[in-house]
Amino acid sequence: MMHHGGRVNRARGLLGIGLGLALAACQTVESTVDRTAGALTGRSNVAFGTPGHVTGFLGGVAADEPRAAIVARDILSSGGSAVDAAVAGAFTMAVTLPSRAGLGGGGACVVLDAQRGVARAITFPAGARTDISAGTDRPAALPAMARGLFAMHLNAGRFKIEDLIRPAEDLARLGTEISRTLADDLAVVAGPLLADPSARQVFARPGGGVLRLGDRITQPDLSATLAQLRAAALGIGDLYQGNLAERLVEGSVTSGGGLTEPELRATRIRVSAATRTALGSDLVLLTTDASPGMAGALQAAMAGQTPGADANAGPGAGASLITLDREGNAVSCAFSMNNLFGTGRIVPGTGILLAAAPGIGRVEAAPLPVAILARPDLRRFRAASSGSGGQAALAAAAMPLAAVQRRAGPADPYAGVPAPGRGVAISCAGLVPTNSPACIGAADPRGGGVALGSFGR
């Protein structure tokens, strides 16, 4: 399946000059990069809000799930900002990669507003619980995803958030093909997942077993939930203190998650100035939670060492998404359910897969390392990265940035990342915005992600 022409190659790194973000991807392609350069040009006669509105360099997307990357790329092509693209891509990932991202989970993002010269950190992890009632056999985390995406979009989006939810809603209703990553995840937890009746309705094949690569997945209940978030008077707030919140609480009790209405109302996210750490002559922008570990990982990577990872740490299943627009605004996000498929149970009638509450049993809060490399004035973008995979996520996020800063490194910037670490990244040999950005994107070839962009001719 080709998009806008161009050739497809395996992503090989971030260090080339005059390389372009990939112009094509199939839903099951492992990683792609198109080695073309484009000039920053104007807008076409195509109406705002329609793919093709932006001509020339429009930025790019790197993501762990191909369909989410395509949706985000189309938002950029329609005139949306990096924030618009990230929000649409994240909601889509909740449909296409529910094993690692979802409305029942959470994440963290760093946002560079190059036009204003400011950077924000939005932290919305799948939250810990302080009071779990008896009979809750699989405690659910506090679901912060929707609230975090709403906060990121507030005062930064060009599109209405309702329009950014719609692609995910349509994919859930009409169906989409199972990607390689989701197929692999389903195979790992097939037995426990299909033990839940609601999960079985979504993830089971008609002939038995879990869905496989290329099978079609439809999620009508999740589509209805997304439609309610889009159309309800309370909007996103309906999930936390409206009719949808009541249904989520009631269903979570029967699903063993044990959420309560006071907990949902009290679900908090944190929006703050991004933490700044010097890296050569540039600044690395981080979230406060991830900054101590990322700072150490960056120092090790800059010294040519592989940042360490705890071999005993769990997989910390998560997913990454990065967006860059033509003005140099950028978003780097990491999402997690704290466990593959969270609790493994879907709240009946909502389609929401519950994330696992951290700090209970062997479930730990997943690291959410995200980073953006920018000039000190915060008005020019250089690179961004995000990682997943437990403690190895730090290495997956740090090593590509160090390779960019050193202007030297292996052809594959993920070659030394320890398993189960995976990452995605975007870098530009020329700063953005500029007339010759020469940007490339990369997705760890061991995963199922892609890097996509579109350049004028």
Side-chain angles (χ1 to χ4, degrees):
M1 178 173 59
M2 300 297 290
H3 296 270
H4 298 287
R7 68 176 181 271
V8 181
N9 298 307
R10 295 286 292 235
R12 295 187 181 278
L14 302 174
L15 305 177
I17 301 298
L19 303 183
L21 289 165
L23 298 178
C26 289
Q27 206 171 3
T28 56
V29 172
E30 294 180 3
S31 58
T32 61
V33 61
D34 183 21
R35 298 172 180 255
T36 57
L40 182 64
T41 60
R43 291 176 170 81
S44 71
N45 293 325
V46 177
F48 176 80
T50 304
H53 172 71
V54 176
T55 64
F57 175 74
L58 59 75
V61 180
D64 278 332
E65 203 288 313
R67 179 56 61 182
I70 291 170
V71 166
R73 189 277 315 275
D74 285 349
I75 293 295
L76 292 176
S77 178
S78 301
S81 68
V83 166
D84 290 321
V87 170
F91 275 114
T92 298
M93 203 173 285
V95 173
T96 58
L97 195 58
S99 52
R100 297 168 179 268
L103 296 182
C109 301
V110 170
V111 179
L112 172 64
D113 185 336
Q115 293 174 294
R116 296 182 177 89
V118 298
R120 295 182 297 150
I122 300 94
T123 306
F124 48 102
R129 305 274 298 284
T130 57
D131 186 15
I132 298 174
S133 62
T136 302
D137 65 326
R138 291 193 189 178
L142 298 179
M145 181 80 149
R147 186 162 272 179
L149 296 178
F150 176 82
M152 181 166 68
H153 179 265
L154 194 64
N155 300 322
R158 297 172 190 163
F159 288 11
K160 294 179 179 179
I161 195 166
E162 296 90 334
D163 296 330
L164 304 177
I165 295 173
R166 189 59 181 263
E169 176 191 336
D170 289 344
L171 284 169
R173 176 171 53 87
L174 300 174
T176 185
E177 290 183 0
I178 296 285
S179 67
R180 182 166 69 87
T181 300
L182 181 54
D184 290 346
D185 290 347
L186 283 166
V188 170
V189 298
L193 189 64
L194 296 189
D196 176 59
S198 294
R200 189 164 57 247
Q201 289 180 355
V202 174
F203 299 115
R205 303 186 93 199
V210 291
L211 295 171
R212 301 173 187 170
L213 177 66
D215 284 346
R216 199 160 188 84
I217 181 174
T218 56
Q219 302 170 77
D221 288 343
L222 183 57
S223 177
T225 292
L226 290 165
Q228 188 162 347
L229 293 180
R230 180 175 57 81
L234 289 174
I236 297 295
D238 202 56
L239 184 62
Y240 298 94
Q241 54 186 0
N243 175 261
L244 187 53
E246 294 176 3
R247 292 168 51 207
L248 183 62
V249 166
E250 181 180 349
S252 76
V253 172
T254 61
S255 299
L259 294 172
T260 68
E261 291 187 43
E263 284 180 312
L264 286 183
R265 286 196 299 270
T267 299
R268 293 289 180 265
I269 64 168
R270 184 164 62 251
V271 179
S272 63
T275 299
R276 306 180 187 187
T277 298
L279 189 69
S281 59
D282 296 315
L283 289 178
V284 179
L285 307 172
L286 307 167
T287 64
T288 302
D289 291 350
S291 60
M294 274 296 293
L298 284 166
Q299 289 177 359
M302 286 294 288
Q305 303 169 357
T306 299
D310 182 358
N312 297 317
S320 297
L321 171 69
I322 297 172
T323 59
L324 168 69
D325 67 28
R326 66 195 302 275
E327 287 87 7
N329 305 307
V331 180
S332 178
C333 294
F335 310 112
S336 180
M337 301 288 283
N338 289 335
N339 197 29
L340 207 57
F341 290 95
T343 66
R345 295 176 179 174
I346 291 178
V347 176
T350 70
I352 295 177
L353 190 64
L354 297 171
I360 299 174
R362 293 183 294 175
V363 177
E364 299 296 334
L368 299 168
V370 291
I372 294 177
L373 188 66
R375 298 299 293 162
D377 61 3
L378 301 184
R379 292 184 180 275
R380 290 165 292 173
F381 168 90
R382 283 206 65 197
S385 65
S386 175
S388 63
Q391 294 303 312
L394 297 172
M399 292 176 70
L401 289 190
V404 169
Q405 190 64 23
R406 295 199 317 267
R407 300 180 186 275
D412 176 6
Y414 299 106
V417 174
R422 299 288 187 270
V424 299
I426 292 176
S427 71
C428 299
L431 299 172
V432 181
T434 181
N435 285 329
S436 183
C439 297
I440 63 173
D444 192 322
R446 299 171 299 175
V450 296
L452 299 176
S454 180
F455 291 74
R457 294 295 189 263

